[in-house]
Amino acid sequence: MAVLLFLFLQAHAIYAAGPGDIRLDDKIESLKKAGVGPVIYPHAAHEKLYKCADCHPKIFKDKHGANDISMKRNMDGQFCGSPNCHNSPKAFPLYNCARCHTNVRAAR
Amino acid sequence: MTAPFKHRFYLKAFLLMFFAACLWYAADAISAEEKAPPAQQAPGKATPILDPGDPSSILYLDTSGKLAGTGDSTKPPSQYYKIGMGWHPQALTDTRLPRDKYGLIDWAKLVKSNMVKPRWSLDPNDEEMPPLDLDIIITAKSDFVNDVRYPHWIHTWWLKCEVCHPKIFVPAKGQNKMFMTEIAQGQWCGRCHGKVSFPLTDCNRCHTVPKGASK
């Protein structure tokens, strides 16, 4: 019983803390060609501004690997580039590569 | 006691006159105030629609009411430069200038629809060159992003070849190793786009050709 209670509390604690930073690197080969590194998505920073239902499940399915995010799709108004997000004056624009991508190639 | 009494009389008379003058002045001021508002509201009711095709429109005037940009070209353009750098929201909202979906002025649409007809050159002896109708497909480095169709045509409306070639772009296909990260940092297209020409905000304005469609 005590173990169950402990597990329940543990699960609750994880839920309250959120999923933390999410590393997006399934298209690493393409990313390398474009001169950028994977995106480390800061979930906590977005939690401060939005409620879960603002993004889930309409814009992002809340499951690892279920969202086939690409820069093309962002440009077309999906995922990060949704019309009220990083494709609007409300948030920084998509061309600020270094705000999301790590290891951004520096200009020569 | 007589002298102070006389003084008091004069003082009273003076104060009375002073108050009368004050009242008269105040009444005048109030009536003037009552008359003034209709005079101010009358021109404000009709909101002027600024016609960008009209060269005498206030759009083209500087803060002193003169036509902007007609100063001595041999002197440094500091004054006009400062005016141009200013933000003129009133002028923006009153025009019918075409905007893109980000609310930015669509300058290309503006010239294509002949709303403004810029001169070819400030030098009247300069020979006009027709725009170069040549599209270049620039392959995007990423496997997922659309390729770019670069139109020489709209760029050569105002710019001479020497503006970009060979300093910014080597005039040979595939010889310019461009990266979007570098463009965002102000290299390549970013030398103008984001500074004097439309910013990089709308990716799909340039990334128009689907992967593989150009071959």
Side-chain angles (χ1 to χ4, degrees):
Chain A
M1 189 65 198
V3 174
L4 267 176
L5 189 72
F6 176 75
L7 278 174
F8 174 76
L9 284 174
Q10 192 90 335
H12 200 83
I14 288 166
Y15 177 75
D21 291 351
I22 300 171
R23 188 180 165 88
L24 308 168
D25 59 355
D26 60 322
K27 294 180 175 63
I28 191 71
E29 288 307 312
S30 173
L31 287 169
K32 273 182 193 164
K33 283 184 209 168
V36 292
V39 170
I40 311 293
Y41 170 76
H43 203 280
H46 289 78
E47 274 172 55
K48 280 178 198 160
L49 300 165
Y50 300 101
K51 290 169 189 160
C52 308
D54 289 340
C55 304
H56 303 302
K58 247 192 166 178
I59 299 173
F60 293 95
K61 288 174 198 156
D62 33 351
K63 192 183 167 213
H64 258 288
N67 304 288
D68 187 18
I69 308 170
S70 72
M71 217 46 223
K72 162 96 177 84
R73 292 202 166 148
N74 288 337
M75 291 176 187
D76 288 343
Q78 296 180 47
F79 302 117
C80 319
S82 289
N84 284 325
C85 308
H86 293 284
N87 218 348
S88 78
K90 290 177 192 169
F92 65 83
L94 290 172
Y95 68 80
N96 279 2
C97 315
R99 288 286 292 269
C100 301
H101 287 277
T102 53
N103 305 323
V104 167
R105 180 198 171 91
R108 283 166 290 171
Chain B
M1 282 297 278
T2 48
F5 178 73
K6 255 186 188 172
H7 278 197
R8 233 181 249 173
F9 175 74
Y10 285 132
L11 192 72
K12 273 184 182 172
F14 173 76
L15 278 173
L16 204 71
M17 278 167 73
F18 179 74
F19 277 126
C22 279
L23 274 171
W24 185 53
Y25 182 78
D28 221 9
I30 287 163
S31 65
E33 262 180 26
E34 279 169 359
K35 278 173 200 164
Q40 281 175 352
Q41 276 171 4
K45 269 179 188 171
T47 38
I49 294 167
L50 303 178
D51 180 12
D54 174 17
S56 65
S57 167
I58 62 156
L59 273 177
Y60 305 114
L61 305 183
D62 64 16
T63 46
S64 61
K66 291 175 199 150
L67 202 62
T70 49
D72 189 351
S73 60
T74 56
K75 283 177 186 168
S78 57
Q79 187 199 347
Y80 298 106
Y81 183 74
K82 277 177 194 164
I83 294 162
M85 292 290 280
W87 180 240
H88 307 285
Q90 186 63 41
L92 262 178
T93 47
D94 285 352
T95 54
R96 290 161 295 173
L97 300 177
R99 314 263 199 110
D100 63 11
K101 63 173 175 174
Y102 298 93
L104 305 162
I105 297 170
D106 194 337
W107 291 105
K109 209 174 185 178
L110 206 68
V111 283
K112 279 176 191 167
S113 60
N114 277 329
M115 277 182 93
V116 292
K117 296 177 196 90
R119 275 185 217 173
W120 164 250
S121 171
L122 286 175
D123 182 1
N125 301 321
D126 228 359
E127 209 174 298
E128 188 172 338
M129 212 178 73
L132 175 68
D133 194 5
L134 173 67
D135 284 359
I136 305 287
I137 304 291
I138 302 164
T139 324
K141 299 270 181 299
S142 161
D143 294 338
F144 299 91
V145 175
N146 281 351
D147 293 342
V148 172
R149 181 190 299 278
Y150 168 80
H152 270 101
W153 186 72
I154 191 70
H155 288 88
T156 45
W157 271 42
W158 286 322
L159 305 175
K160 292 177 179 179
C161 312
E162 299 86 62
V163 175
C164 305
H165 299 306
K167 261 198 164 175
I168 303 175
F169 298 96
V170 181
K173 201 170 180 179
Q175 291 306 299
N176 300 289
K177 301 273 175 257
M178 291 175 253
F179 282 84
M180 198 60 225
T181 56
E182 292 177 350
I183 296 169
Q185 289 167 55
Q187 302 268 58
W188 310 106
C189 319
R191 290 281 285 266
C192 298
H193 285 281
K195 288 168 189 160
V196 294
S197 23
F198 69 80
L200 309 168
T201 329
D202 191 357
C203 314
N204 287 340
R205 197 158 163 182
C206 302
H207 288 274
T208 49
V209 186
K211 271 271 180 283
S214 60
K215 282 154 202 166

